[in-house]
Amino acid sequence: MIDEINRLLEEGKAELASASSEAQVEAARVKYLGKSGSLSALRKGMGKLAPAERPAMGKLVSEALSRFESLLKDQQHKIGEQALQRDLAREKLDVTLPGRSQKRGHRHPVSQALDDIVEIFARLGFHVADGPEIEWDLYNFEKLGIPSDHPARDMQDTFYLDLATQPEPPPGSPPTEGAQKQLLLRTHTSPVQARTMLAQPPPVRIIAPGKVYRCDSDITHTPMFHQVECLHVEQGLSMAHLRGTLDAFAKAFFGSSVKTRLRPSYFPFTEPSAEVDVSCAACGGKGCRLCKQTGWLEVLGSGMVNPDVLAGVGYDPEKVTGYAFGVGIDRLAMLRYGIDDLRSLFENDVRFLEQL
Amino acid sequence: MKLSLNWLRELCPVDLSDEEVARRLTLAGLEVEGTEKRALPAGVVAARVTVKTPIEGSDHLNLCQVDDGAGVHQVVCGAVNYAAGDLVPMARPGAVLPGGKEIKRARLRGVESEGMLCSARELGLGDDHSGLLMLPRETRPGTPLDALLGLPDTVLEINVTPNRPDALSHLGIARELSALTGVPINLPAQRLPHGLVIAAAARVDVEDAQRCPRYLARVIEGVQIAPSPLWLQERLRSCGIRPISNVVDATNLVLLELGHPLHAFDLDQLAGARIIVRRAHEGEPLTTLDGKERKLTADDLVIADGEKPVALAGVMGGQTSEVSSGTTRLLLESAVFEGAGIRRTARRQALHTEASHRYERGADEGMAAQAADRCAELIVQLAGGTVLPGVIDLYPSPRPAAHIWVRPARVSAILGATVDAVEVDKRLRSLGLEPMDGMPERRLWKAPSWRRDLTREIDCVEEIARQRGLDTIPVEVPKAGVGETAAVPPDRVATSAARAALSARGFDEVLNYSFVAERDLDALWPDEGAPRAMRVANPLTVEQGAMRWSLLAGLLRNLGHNLARGARELMLYELGRVYLAHPDPRHPRGLLSWPDHEPRRLSLALTGQAAKRWTSAPAALDFYDCKGAIEDVLAALAVPQIEYSLAPIATLHPASCASLTVDGTVAGFFGQLHPQVAKAFDLPAHTFVAELDWELLLGKARPERKLHGVPRFPGIERDLAFVVDESVLAARMLAAIRAAETFGLLEHVALFDVYKGAPVPEGKKSIAYRLSLRAADRTLTDAEADGIVTTIKEQLREVLGAAIRT
Ligand SMILES: [Zn+2]
């Protein structure tokens, strides 16, 4: 019996060792360990032995069985490993082929800049306010200290509206030649100042982004462009706060190394008024073509809210003061993205748009 | 305004470089926008033509003997406007003319030429190229032309803001520079004869004193009209004014020097030797100096003589009374006209002149007399004659000077920097204000007559700020008050999410003008009932003539533009306002009314073929690309309760048009462009568009999310394919499936296949769904799942006649 066990074990060992596929291993398993396998049969043959022999012999058979099982597992593993290696060696992939792509869309540069600007002012505590683009003369000019026949109207060439039925202008509108001149396309976002202040008591801390219109078209002017109006009215505000806000904004938009400069100017609805220049990023302030050799780029108009404007909306200019400014967004977008023709912003050529 | 720095330095002799003058003016609010160096090339001198003989074989060339002070040279010249004895500019060999032309000894027609005789244009002095520049006879040959003309000079282009008419002159800028530097103004005074003699020579009546607050006249007799001296011509040219004759040039010189417009009439041409300042009669004609016959209105102010208008007051003189070569007696007008009236006339007549520009902004009554005297004196210097003693001066109600209280504490509060009373005093005095009354902490100041813009304390604050420089203002970031750094408003969160969704799908954002061609709007709606566009009264082009009531007009043009440039796959969107001709429902009437309704729309336009990719077959963009984008946007907004239904509108193909309903309200439409519309815009038939009511969608958006945690029990998935009539809508089937399961165990239904063709019978389609079933509180059993599926099958069979496909 012992011989038989050893013989079968040796035989099985050899068969396993020569097995080179999972099928052959499986065949060996069935042959030795299957229901009618030869090693399994040994266990069945135990009944024929004398009871005294059984424990010792049983132990031997068990050992042989577990030994074979262990060999079987090793061989299975080995063959599995070989098969895996073969498979791995077979697989070929060009890792340099492009990935599965999806067309990506692009934001419009002006809309992107506008969002960024609104975001910056939100951080500075400004809320977004709104007004119509088709606006009454009253708000676009009159309430801002620009009556008709005022030379300051030359600063902004105005589009007027030609309506079949004219809506009723708000009370206080100036009498004008022909009702047609009451309605216009706003020339700046400043009308939102008057609208906001008329609707609420101070303090006011708003920005008003949006489209504005002037009859002008060349490389640096388009008949429609975008502004963000900023207005802050409260007790105790000074020009230092204007400078601080402008500086914070310019640094947030252009980067922390940018410098700002205020230059006295004139806007009817602010006083003192100032143009704001930022240091030219293209040349670092040394002077180049973009900044016309001055080292500075004019980016916005600003000032302290004219006391007449405050009084005109029922605020007391002795109690509250304010500052305001209007940023040309398209120009900021041009500077930021290095666009040299403003008109290309509104051609909507995808070869341009998809560069952003 | 153009400003000669030589001239400025005469009035205010500062010891500063040109660059420094420009910088200081800019930082004081007189922005220097450009700089022009005016100089003559070296080697251009005055030369006398001594002999002029025609060159044989040439019809226009002459050989001249020319004395340039250093000797006699021979020069070939083609001009015709000179004779032997005349003095003209000669460029010697080696001189480089403007434009880079170098003068060399040359042979012309076989004749040696040792220089070139020049016109004004050749020397860069102006546009005149009709002949040689004629120099005064008394000029010494060899004198460098520079010296004759007062060159070299630097001319600054200054942007004078509309509030500063006082700065529209050399004197005005000199005053500024004087205030900035402390260098006093150097302006010679005139002494002209007093008396009443003038009263016998001319008479002036002002009928509209409101429109003409001051009219002042002097009479000069015995003048001789001739060209002005070269230095004067150069002064005018450098400031952009064409020299005409000594008298006219004198008025222009004084205009540029003192900023006050003057007009010289030929007194002998004034009927009745009279001036009447009055309104024009409606339709009254006047031929102005530019040769145009103008029809006047009753709002126009004219200067008339005894019979007819002779000038458009404050704008332009008339031809009949123009100073001409035979003029000997002058009436010199120095008046002040009301700005708004001049502005109306100038605009009506489309006539913008140096005079109207200044009057519109406000002339200085105080300067009228000084300017008249200065000009009269200059005319006598240039043209001879005598000024009649006396002056006619109609100034019935002198404009009172503004008196302004100024508090240094207020100045400091506005500027955010400490400005004490001493500094306030110093700065206001330097600008010509005079202290009248009060204490250091609150003083009354009288504004000078030339600063009409100074009427309030804030005006003085601005002046002080300008003088000290805005860089002296500290930088202080205002603190945000409590609640002011509020959370980002929900509609901005939602809008950003929607934009991100569109970007992720490949949509490019466009921005179009709000005004479009009206025919494009008409073409969008080839049917009755099209919305009416509001028109722009004065558009730049007809392409920008109408306010858009739909974003599609712009977007479809964008598709066309890009297709024409080779684009194959176009997916565009625009988020912007449309303009509807009725009041905004949010602000319908009253003080804060909006004139129109300007809701935002989100519109899409797509056409073409997705680009070839090695990972997928190219596919034409279609209806479901469009709908998918809309679904992504709505998912980004988390808009609930959306329904889609077939809804024909004129813009869209009748079979491929859908409306989108949120909570029972129509929120937009989408589909394939109607073939007629596609044709009108020259676009492919397979063009898809959408236009959504962004205000409505934002109102329905639920940007704030609530999370429900991870499911705690496993779910079961079952796939089911139904065969139904082709006409059965997917939405109907989905509703039926949902209705069939009443225990809340149907977590999700996903349609994953639509199939037509064998073995599905003709007229039928197979639609397959994956049902996700789950109970929130226990593990669902297969038996339960089977039960649900069976109920759904039965329901669909009953309601829609659906068969199960196996
Ligand atoms: Zn630069």
Side-chain angles (χ1 to χ4, degrees), chain A residues 280 282-283 287-288 290-291 295:
Chain A
C280 177
C283 64
C288 68
L290 183 66
C291 60

Side-chain angles (χ1 to χ4, degrees), chain B residues 540-592:
Chain B
L540 289 177
T541 77
V542 289
E543 309 298 318
Q544 301 172 356
M547 299 305 291
R548 63 187 185 190
W549 47 257
S550 163
L551 304 186
L552 293 180
L555 276 163
L556 295 181
R557 286 287 162 215
N558 299 151
L559 291 182
H561 168 101
N562 284 293
L563 287 172
R565 282 156 186 79
R568 290 203 183 81
E569 179 188 26
L570 285 167
M571 303 163 79
L572 305 178
Y573 83 94
E574 181 166 8
L575 178 54
R577 292 184 184 187
V578 295
Y579 308 84
L580 311 176
H582 55 81
D584 187 314
R586 291 168 302 172
H587 317 272
R589 62 182 69 83
L591 187 59
L592 293 172

Side-chain angles (χ1 to χ4, degrees), chain B residues 226-354:
Chain B
S228 305
L230 285 175
W231 66 266
L232 197 161
Q233 294 192 17
E234 164 56 21
R235 287 258 152 116
L236 297 185
R237 271 195 219 102
S238 70
C239 295
I241 293 182
R242 194 165 53 90
I244 293 168
S245 69
N246 46 12
V247 168
V248 176
D249 293 355
T251 60
N252 283 328
L253 189 85
V254 175
L255 171 92
L256 295 172
E257 182 177 71
L258 304 179
H260 195 83
L262 296 145
H263 188 71
F265 294 97
D266 184 334
L267 182 53
D268 294 323
Q269 302 303 320
L270 293 177
R274 285 194 66 178
I275 288 286
I276 302 164
V277 184
R278 60 163 170 87
R279 302 285 193 91
H281 309 304
E282 196 66 43
E284 202 171 7
L286 169 68
T287 303
T288 41
L289 283 175
D290 54 4
K292 287 212 175 90
E293 184 178 321
R294 296 171 186 277
K295 259 204 161 57
L296 307 180
T297 75
D299 185 50
D300 293 321
L301 194 71
V302 295
I303 311 299
D305 62 10
E307 293 167 357
K308 62 197 176 299
V310 293
L312 199 49
V315 182
M316 190 177 266
Q319 266 185 347
T320 57
S321 60
E322 188 182 1
V323 170
S324 60
S325 56
T327 301
T328 59
R329 297 173 72 231
L330 301 173
L331 183 136
L332 182 64
E333 165 196 291
S334 179
V336 173
F337 302 107
E338 186 243 343
I342 297 297
R343 186 178 157 78
R344 289 197 297 277
T345 295
R347 286 181 77 86
R348 238 185 333 259
Q349 298 291 347
L351 191 56
H352 186 90
T353 62
E354 296 281 344

Side-chain angles (χ1 to χ4, degrees), chain B residues 38 49 104 149 164 190 255-256 324 378 393 430 448 521-522 614 625 655 663 733 735 756 769 781:
Chain B
R38 286 180 76 85
V49 179
K104 290 183 179 130
L149 291 162
R164 294 296 305 277
Q190 284 75 41
L255 171 92
L256 295 172
S324 60
L378 191 62
D393 185 3
S430 78
L521 289 171
D522 293 343
W614 72 276
D625 288 301
D663 269 352
M733 292 186 68
K756 281 180 223 175
Y769 294 94
T781 63

Side-chain angles (χ1 to χ4, degrees), chain A residues 103 105-106 111 119 130 133-134 139 149 154 160 162 180 205 213 239 243 271 306 308 350 354, chain B residues 343-344 410 414 456 459 473 484 492 503 506 508-509 511 514 535 537-538 562 577 579 591 598:
Chain A
K103 184 177 183 301
H106 303 260
S111 140
E119 195 62 47
D130 199 9
E133 291 167 25
I134 294 180
Y139 291 113
D149 297 332
D154 288 350
Y160 290 92
D162 181 9
Q180 188 203 339
R205 196 170 191 163
Y213 306 85
M239 243 177 140
R243 261 196 104 177
E271 189 157 2
N306 192 317
D308 291 351
V350 294
E354 292 182 353
Chain B
R343 186 178 157 78
R344 289 197 297 277
R410 178 73 173 167
I414 300 280
R456 303 162 305 156
D459 302 322
I473 288 166
E484 276 174 344
R492 264 185 51 221
S503 285
D508 289 330
E509 183 186 13
L511 264 180
S514 308
R535 295 198 181 108
N538 53 334
N562 284 293
R577 292 184 184 187
Y579 308 84
L591 187 59
E598 301 181 6

